[in-house]
Amino acid sequence: MTGVSDVIMCRGFFVTLDGQAQDLFASLPKGSISAFADLSGQFLSYFASSIPKKKQFTNLCKLDQWSMENLADYLSRWKKEARSLANFDEKMAIPIFTSNIRSRPFHRDLVQNPPKTYAALLDCATRFAEAEEAESKKEEEEQGRWGTPRVPSGTETPAPGPRAVVGPVALSDPIDVFDPNKYYRFHQQHEHDTDECMIIKWQIEKLIQRGYLGQYVKRSGQGRGQGPSNIWKKKGGFELPHRDALVITLDINNTIVHGVLVDIGSSVNVMYYDTFTKLGLSRK
């Protein structure tokens, strides 16, 4: 269409239309359009209400990073919001972005080394988001490799005891046997023993080390406390990670079975016959 006359522009424009836009074009009185500027003006006026309204730049001040939101998701949400603004100011966006993100290593890096341009800010945020995602995947791999989540040795946090509250989830008292009247909300189970649950202790330890649950943590000088890792060592008698053989107690079919050897390398799993009969099982 470059360099063509207004007549061709108007006729060519009609070919691209459909639905309401085509109906509008057909309803225009003969001779009412003398130039393409008239035609475009008619369309802009008619469909003005359908044009998305741009938001104000001050909306960014309310775009805080959520407590459990990772940096990659927040960065995506920030970019989407920035594209919808009418008067986006790259220079002002830098301190607002820095103020909105949560107190984590990336925030500390921005405070210590403020980016000079908005492009540099996005580049730095992208690199930190990729590193955060890689670290998360590494933690998942280590959980699978060792069989249970682990807290690095020497990093355990003193806590007032095994009971704690994580949001709406309360860690209940130990459950020695299956009790249908009790319910453990974190794992949605009735038979779970909270005090010996390594997964929840690891999750609590992880939250504490990231700066959460401070009101439930006892620091040095506040009294004797047990961190999650200390509880493991006291009850299990071993350091994590490990490859030692484990002999544990299990609740099988509502019956406590002692002396169960955990050995993932065995090709055969053996149960003594007297254990089999005490469980109330038959050859059927």
Side-chain angles (χ1 to χ4, degrees):
M1 287 293 187
T2 304
V4 301
S5 66
D6 274 18
V7 174
I8 297 178
M9 288 276 285
C10 291
R11 293 180 182 276
F13 180 67
F14 171 73
V15 178
T16 69
L17 303 180
D18 192 14
Q20 291 185 15
Q22 194 176 77
D23 294 341
L24 173 62
F25 187 92
S27 69
L28 295 173
K30 290 184 178 181
S32 63
I33 302 299
S34 59
F36 186 74
D38 295 339
L39 180 61
S40 60
Q42 290 267 14
F43 271 80
L44 288 174
S45 176
Y46 185 84
F47 290 106
S49 61
S50 300
I51 300 175
K53 299 296 187 295
K54 288 287 187 177
K55 300 178 182 179
Q56 294 302 311
F57 181 75
T58 53
N59 283 29
L60 282 180
C61 297
K62 306 175 184 177
L63 196 68
D64 293 328
Q65 184 181 11
W66 300 326
S67 60
M68 300 304 290
E69 183 179 29
N70 61 40
L71 184 56
D73 290 342
Y74 177 71
L75 186 58
S76 176
R77 195 158 57 90
W78 168 277
K79 289 180 179 179
K80 182 179 180 180
E81 186 72 12
R83 287 194 297 267
S84 68
L85 301 179
N87 54 345
F88 185 76
D89 187 329
E90 292 190 351
K91 187 175 182 180
M92 285 296 299
I94 298 175
I96 294 176
F97 184 93
T98 303
S99 175
N100 287 1
I101 62 174
R102 297 189 65 80
S103 178
R104 292 170 182 169
F106 178 48
H107 177 266
R108 184 164 56 250
D109 183 79
L110 290 181
V111 173
Q112 295 175 345
N113 307 290
K116 296 181 179 179
T117 65
Y118 182 68
L121 170 68
L122 294 183
D123 179 66
C124 183
T126 300
R127 287 188 286 105
F128 267 87
E130 292 173 349
E132 186 180 88
E133 184 177 359
E135 182 181 1
S136 178
K137 289 182 178 179
K138 180 65 175 176
E139 290 177 352
E140 292 177 2
E141 291 175 359
E142 290 179 349
Q143 290 180 33
R145 184 183 308 162
W146 299 108
T148 56
R150 64 189 183 94
V151 176
S153 178
T155 62
E156 57 271 5
T157 305
R163 292 172 60 89
V165 178
V166 185
V169 181
L171 306 187
S172 60
D173 292 326
I175 304 174
D176 295 326
V177 295
F178 179 85
D179 187 345
N181 296 320
K182 296 181 180 180
Y183 183 64
Y184 183 52
R185 290 181 60 190
F186 190 80
H187 285 147
Q188 299 182 359
Q189 295 177 350
H190 292 275
E191 70 277 6
H192 206 82
D193 186 337
T194 302
D195 280 355
E196 295 183 358
C197 177
M198 292 186 178
I199 295 178
I200 185 60
K201 291 171 186 173
W202 176 79
Q203 293 284 3
I204 292 175
E205 178 70 32
K206 191 175 180 181
L207 288 171
I208 291 174
Q209 294 187 18
R210 288 185 176 180
Y212 304 105
L213 307 179
Q215 66 271 36
Y216 301 108
V217 176
K218 277 192 176 181
R219 301 298 179 185
S220 58
Q222 291 183 308
R224 298 175 63 186
Q226 284 182 306
S229 298
N230 289 336
I231 296 173
W232 297 359
K233 294 173 185 176
K234 177 181 177 183
K235 293 193 174 185
F238 54 83
E239 298 276 349
L240 293 176
H242 73 92
R243 293 184 180 274
D244 303 330
L246 293 179
V247 178
I248 63 175
T249 298
L250 289 179
D251 180 352
I252 303 176
N253 198 25
N254 298 337
T255 301
I256 300 299
V257 180
H258 300 277
V260 179
L261 174 65
V262 177
D263 181 5
I264 59 174
S266 297
S267 58
V268 176
N269 294 317
V270 178
M271 177 185 291
Y272 288 104
Y273 185 71
D274 60 342
T275 304
F276 182 84
T277 55
K278 288 178 181 179
L279 286 173
L281 303 176
S282 67
R283 291 185 177 274
K284 294 182 179 180

